[in-house]
Amino acid sequence: MLTLEDPADAQFRLVEAKAPVVAIVGATGAVGVELLRCLESRGFPLGGLKLLASPRSAGKTLDFKGEPVTIEALTEESFAGVDIALFSAGSGISKRYAAAAVKAGAVVVDNSSAFRMDADVPLVVPEVNAASLAGHRGVIANPNCVAAIATVALAPLHRAYPIRRLTAATYQAASGAGAAAMEELRESTAAYLRGESFEPKVLPHPYAFNLFSHNADMDEETGYNGEETKVVAETRRILGTPELPIGITCIRVPVLRAHAMALTVEFDEVVTVEEARTILGNAPGLRLVDNRAANYFPMPSDASGQDDVLVGRIRQDIGDPSGKSLALFVAGDQLLKGAALNAVQIAELLLKR
Amino acid sequence: MLTLEDPADAQFRLVEAKAPVVAIVGATGAVGVELLRCLESRGFPLGGLKLLASPRSAGKTLDFKGEPVTIEALTEESFAGVDIALFSAGSGISKRYAAAAVKAGAVVVDNSSAFRMDADVPLVVPEVNAASLAGHRGVIANPNCVAAIATVALAPLHRAYPIRRLTAATYQAASGAGAAAMEELRESTAAYLRGESFEPKVLPHPYAFNLFSHNADMDEETGYNGEETKVVAETRRILGTPELPIGITCIRVPVLRAHAMALTVEFDEVVTVEEARTILGNAPGLRLVDNRAANYFPMPSDASGQDDVLVGRIRQDIGDPSGKSLALFVAGDQLLKGAALNAVQIAELLLKR
């Protein structure tokens, strides 16, 4: 629960500045760098840019539109004059500094899990539930990467044919664990190929040509890890289906930056492959990659660096004799739609209002 | 359907030789090499060893117990004096030469898919359905690697609590596509790390830090690929559940030689995690790797080179509100339990009879 210093401050203006000042908190991280690139490539109408990070990075620069921007150390005073603060420096930083940003007048778009289940904080995937922004009180949460990518594909189906059960197995990239994990995947793989041993430093298990159950904290009682718990809760919240049964297995695979997932979706009624293909082919933020003749379907290598989520392998689930289930395979860039792009899209929505 | 030249020849002796002569067809392949190693490491009571391969490999040698054994070119005359012929050179070779081996008096254990669904040919996972060997007429089929690994974990549960539905997503290693695919994974990854491009030669898609829908031929009508179709049909046959609904997604991941799979298993009644753990912990061919406190579960790196299939992440499937479903994660060496080891175990059963 986000506690504001004074609830009276919680009457938020929308972003009225035509060219708002944007701050990126965690500018040097894997997502921070992509936030910068998204602002750049999408021509976001910036009135100013503040790059905030730990004191360790202060004084260094990152390029924006060819010009170096100096990184400043994050403090509670960093947000004076900031209209939109894009946070991506972990839950701890968000919990500590979001209120200060809001108090200074900024709208916070937070990429951490700190406020995602807070009833006062909309959890937004612009293609899916932009309307939920209406209730925002200065903080908007950017969802977990799997939830964001999955709901882009699930929501259009759900709008046409209510979903009543979901089973998901994920194939999650290194980027979800940050830039250091991506580097560990590269380094440990290079070591493996040289026949050398490698001691994992960032992730708990060997990563070269290996995969493992997601490294988020495990609930020892239920046997579900924190990633799975987040995906379930956030997917329900984004789709507006608080009771939707979701079975999920989250696996970290040796892929650099795009997540994939096998989804089995049960509907209230029979949905044909052709209907699903039409719906998904016309939905925003999605690209249909479903070429049976060429055996060509969504792959991380094609999803990487792409704004669109790729969806394909749309087929009847032969495990459900009722014919009411479809199987899909989805791939999306974890750093883009799973994080930075979605945050910048939220910022864009704030401008339009 | 295996057509024997003369059905009268189909009265097969069991292997009576105390020290049978064994032939390996496809000795130079990824599985062939492991067949040799399994015979060696398990102390199989060999009376003689014949290594058969294409004329291209004839004259080369492979070591067995420190001695070189010369590879011979496979012909229809290769099987004189052979008691057991282990075939692993693809369906075409099996279809062409299995009958000759049987006619010469050998029992064929065939690792290809040629005869797996033939009613006269038992499809055997020794831990699961050794009894089905009784009906063999000289050819015994070794299952698809996913089916073999999955059924080792599923059968003990099914015996205690009938399974009524299965949903599977696989994480399949390069080895399933042969030694050349393993080499392509290594080479393409090395090229990626050097920043060089790499043109796939063996597999249809880039493999370095990437994954893709299984490269088996696709049924354009149903949208299922041949691997998925095989796993469904063979799992049903091995478990003796011809109507079991199985939904499946087979994915090739950048792992060298062990397959993993996320299984969601629905039973006729509620099965507790504790019951399942007890059953699986006492079942043959399985090792329980299910440490929630340490977040330690089955991984390809631990399964590689191991005879046992690893099973863990046993938990209630929160996607099934009835409480009648469990989720599991399984990893097994594709070349061992998924191929060579299972074949040698079948050969051992033939000796014991």
Side-chain angles (χ1 to χ4, degrees):
Chain A
M1 187 77 176
L2 174 65
T3 309
L4 297 169
E5 305 245 309
D6 178 357
D9 291 338
Q11 305 304 319
F12 291 101
R13 59 173 173 79
L14 297 172
V15 176
E16 280 162 25
K18 285 239 159 125
V21 175
V22 172
I24 298 179
V25 180
T28 57
V31 175
V33 169
E34 295 296 333
L35 284 167
L36 204 57
R37 286 192 196 144
C38 285
L39 291 172
E40 199 172 51
S41 66
R42 295 173 72 84
F44 193 95
L46 277 183
L49 179 63
K50 262 193 141 162
L51 302 184
L52 301 168
S54 67
R56 199 173 67 243
S57 298
K60 295 180 189 169
T61 63
L62 285 171
D63 278 358
F64 184 75
K65 295 191 176 174
E67 300 288 327
V69 181
T70 302
I71 298 167
E72 300 169 43
L74 171 65
T75 71
E76 296 200 350
E77 285 68 51
S78 297
F79 301 97
V82 170
D83 297 296
I84 297 174
L86 306 173
F87 273 67
S88 188
S91 276
I93 295 291
S94 294
K95 284 176 185 158
R96 185 158 164 207
Y97 292 97
V102 170
K103 197 168 182 194
V107 176
V108 170
V109 180
D110 180 29
N111 191 50
S112 84
S113 62
F115 310 117
R116 287 180 192 154
M117 297 311 292
D118 188 324
D120 288 339
V121 175
L123 179 67
V124 179
V125 177
E127 293 88 343
V128 178
N129 65 340
S132 69
L133 272 173
H136 93 80
R137 297 175 67 215
V139 179
I140 297 147
N142 204 38
N144 165 280
C145 41
V146 172
I149 292 166
T151 54
V152 172
L154 292 170
L157 294 171
H158 178 64
R159 269 193 285 267
Y161 297 98
I163 293 174
R164 72 171 173 202
R165 182 174 171 185
L166 172 66
T167 303
T170 70
Y171 301 71
Q172 293 184 234
S175 59
M182 296 172 78
E183 189 52 26
E184 180 153 303
L185 176 55
R186 282 191 207 92
E187 276 183 24
S188 61
T189 304
Y192 186 103
L193 290 168
R194 288 191 306 263
E196 294 168 8
S197 67
F198 182 93
E199 196 60 45
K201 289 177 282 278
V202 179
L203 290 163
H205 302 296
Y207 205 177
F209 302 115
N210 193 32
L211 55 85
F212 46 87
S213 190
H214 195 283
N215 47 295
D217 283 351
M218 171 68 56
D219 179 334
E220 292 185 42
E221 195 59 44
T222 64
Y224 285 85
N225 61 51
E227 180 77 357
E228 292 161 346
T229 308
K230 278 190 242 177
V231 174
V232 170
E234 296 181 28
T235 298
R236 286 171 173 169
R237 192 165 181 223
I238 297 162
L239 293 179
T241 55
E243 306 293 332
L244 182 67
I246 303 179
I248 184 161
T249 303
C250 285
I251 301 293
R252 187 79 75 191
V253 295
V255 164
L256 285 162
R257 63 175 281 172
H259 285 356
M261 53 201 81
L263 304 178
T264 304
V265 191
E266 185 179 330
F267 299 91
D268 278 338
E269 57 187 295
V270 172
V271 181
T272 68
V273 170
E274 214 37 68
E275 284 171 297
R277 210 177 261 149
T278 302
I279 291 166
L280 295 170
N282 290 301
L286 279 177
R287 180 149 57 88
L288 202 60
V289 180
D290 199 25
N291 188 337
R292 292 180 178 179
N295 206 336
Y296 206 111
F297 302 108
M299 295 190 286
S301 59
D302 284 345
S304 293
Q306 300 298 311
D307 287 357
D308 281 342
V309 168
L310 313 184
V311 61
R313 286 223 72 196
I314 304 163
R315 61 206 195 279
Q316 291 291 328
D317 168 32
I318 48 173
D320 180 1
S322 79
K324 293 181 181 171
S325 296
L326 294 177
L328 316 172
F329 199 70
V330 173
D333 190 305
Q334 188 275 329
L335 294 172
L336 293 177
K337 190 60 196 174
L341 171 67
N342 198 72
V344 172
Q345 286 174 318
I346 291 170
E348 289 170 349
L349 283 177
L350 290 168
L351 295 181
K352 283 182 197 152
R353 296 175 67 80
Chain B
M1 186 78 174
L2 173 66
T3 309
L4 297 172
E5 304 244 308
D6 177 356
D9 291 338
Q11 305 304 319
F12 291 101
R13 59 174 173 77
L14 296 171
V15 175
E16 280 162 25
K18 284 240 159 124
V21 175
V22 172
I24 298 179
V25 179
T28 55
V31 175
V33 169
E34 296 296 332
L35 284 167
L36 204 58
R37 285 190 197 145
C38 285
L39 292 172
E40 200 171 51
S41 67
R42 297 173 71 83
F44 192 93
L46 276 183
L49 180 63
K50 262 191 140 164
L51 302 184
L52 302 169
S54 67
R56 196 173 70 243
S57 298
K60 295 180 187 168
T61 63
L62 285 170
D63 279 358
F64 184 75
K65 294 190 175 173
E67 300 287 327
V69 181
T70 302
I71 298 167
E72 299 169 44
L74 171 65
T75 71
E76 295 200 350
E77 285 69 50
S78 296
F79 301 97
V82 170
D83 297 298
I84 298 173
L86 306 174
F87 273 67
S88 189
S91 278
I93 294 291
S94 293
K95 283 178 186 155
R96 183 158 164 207
Y97 291 99
V102 169
K103 199 170 179 193
V107 176
V108 169
V109 181
D110 181 29
N111 191 51
S112 83
S113 62
F115 311 118
R116 286 181 192 153
M117 297 311 291
D118 188 324
D120 288 338
V121 175
L123 180 67
V124 179
V125 177
E127 293 88 344
V128 177
N129 65 341
S132 69
L133 271 175
H136 92 80
R137 298 174 67 214
V139 179
I140 297 146
N142 204 39
N144 165 281
C145 42
V146 172
I149 291 165
T151 55
V152 172
L154 293 171
L157 294 170
H158 178 65
R159 270 193 286 267
Y161 298 97
I163 294 174
R164 71 171 175 204
R165 182 175 170 184
L166 172 65
T167 302
T170 71
Y171 302 71
Q172 294 183 233
S175 59
M182 296 171 77
E183 189 52 29
E184 180 153 303
L185 175 55
R186 283 192 207 91
E187 277 183 23
S188 62
T189 304
Y192 185 103
L193 290 168
R194 288 192 306 264
E196 294 168 10
S197 68
F198 182 93
E199 196 58 46
K201 289 176 283 279
V202 179
L203 290 164
H205 302 296
Y207 205 177
F209 302 115
N210 192 32
L211 55 83
F212 46 86
S213 190
H214 194 285
N215 47 294
D217 282 351
M218 171 67 57
D219 179 333
E220 291 184 42
E221 194 59 44
T222 65
Y224 285 85
N225 61 50
E227 180 77 357
E228 291 161 346
T229 308
K230 279 191 242 179
V231 175
V232 170
E234 296 181 27
T235 298
R236 287 171 172 168
R237 192 165 180 222
I238 296 162
L239 293 179
T241 54
E243 307 293 333
L244 182 67
I246 303 178
I248 185 162
T249 303
C250 286
I251 301 294
R252 186 80 73 191
V253 295
V255 164
L256 284 163
R257 63 175 280 170
H259 285 356
M261 54 201 81
L263 303 179
T264 305
V265 190
E266 185 179 330
F267 299 92
D268 277 339
E269 56 189 295
V270 171
V271 181
T272 69
V273 170
E274 215 36 69
E275 285 170 297
R277 211 177 259 151
T278 302
I279 291 166
L280 294 171
N282 290 299
L286 279 177
R287 181 148 59 87
L288 202 59
V289 179
D290 198 27
N291 188 338
R292 291 180 179 179
N295 206 336
Y296 206 111
F297 302 108
M299 295 189 285
S301 59
D302 284 344
S304 293
Q306 301 297 311
D307 288 356
D308 281 343
V309 168
L310 313 183
V311 61
R313 285 220 74 194
I314 304 164
R315 60 205 195 280
Q316 292 291 329
D317 168 32
I318 48 175
D320 179 1
S322 80
K324 293 181 182 171
S325 297
L326 293 177
L328 316 172
F329 199 69
V330 173
D333 189 305
Q334 189 274 330
L335 293 172
L336 293 177
K337 191 59 195 175
L341 172 67
N342 198 72
V344 172
Q345 287 174 318
I346 292 171
E348 288 170 349
L349 283 177
L350 290 168
L351 294 181
K352 281 182 198 155
R353 296 174 71 80

